[in-house]
Amino acid sequence: MAATSTRHDTHSTTAGGGWSTKRIAVTALFCAVSAICTLFIEFPIIPGVTFLKYDPSAIVAMIAGFAFGPATGAIVSIIPYLVHLATESGIYGCLMAIMACFTLVVPASIIYQRNTTFKGAIIGMVVGAVCCIVSALIANMIVTPIYMGATMEEVMALIPLLLIFNGIKILINCVVTALVYKPISKALEN
């Protein structure tokens, strides 16, 4: 995962080092691919717990964050999930999905931006994983009782399932990102 000699957005079209046309276009492409993932490629990963669904959109956001930095990772962690406002997930699903993706991708991207090696990517993904799991648990304790009308005891009983689900989801996202980032990064340079 070592970075090449150039970052993907070195030719700015604005004064002062703003975003290049390429970066804007690729960010929009990442957002579109991520939205497709979150709308059409989602499935439960824990048998019998169908409301916890996995989608690979965080992989897309993490690749964007590694390739173009944490700001791009943040954008691709937020914009594609806004489509959930028009689905059965509603605002609850939208907020929870954004929070989970954002807290995984942004810390990983910040660390990788400072250390663009495979080791830096692994450290970033581990830190992002911890941030994501902690924020998901806190958010579920706050939002789930309001949204689902569940008691705090019912939410606390779900914590083992939430830990398993988030652990599996994060592991899939990080392993796939580690496997596909380098070839995608090379393709983005062309």
Side-chain angles (χ1 to χ4, degrees), residues 21-32:
T21 304
K22 178 182 177 181
R23 183 175 179 182
I24 293 167
V26 173
T27 301
L29 179 64
F30 278 126
C31 285

Side-chain angles (χ1 to χ4, degrees), residues 94-118:
C94 178
L95 290 175
M96 297 298 274
I98 288 171
M99 180 275 317
C101 190
F102 187 90
T103 58
L104 174 64
V105 170
V106 173
S109 299
I110 290 169
I111 291 169
Y112 182 70
Q113 185 178 41
R114 293 188 176 142
N115 182 5
T116 57
T117 64
F118 186 72

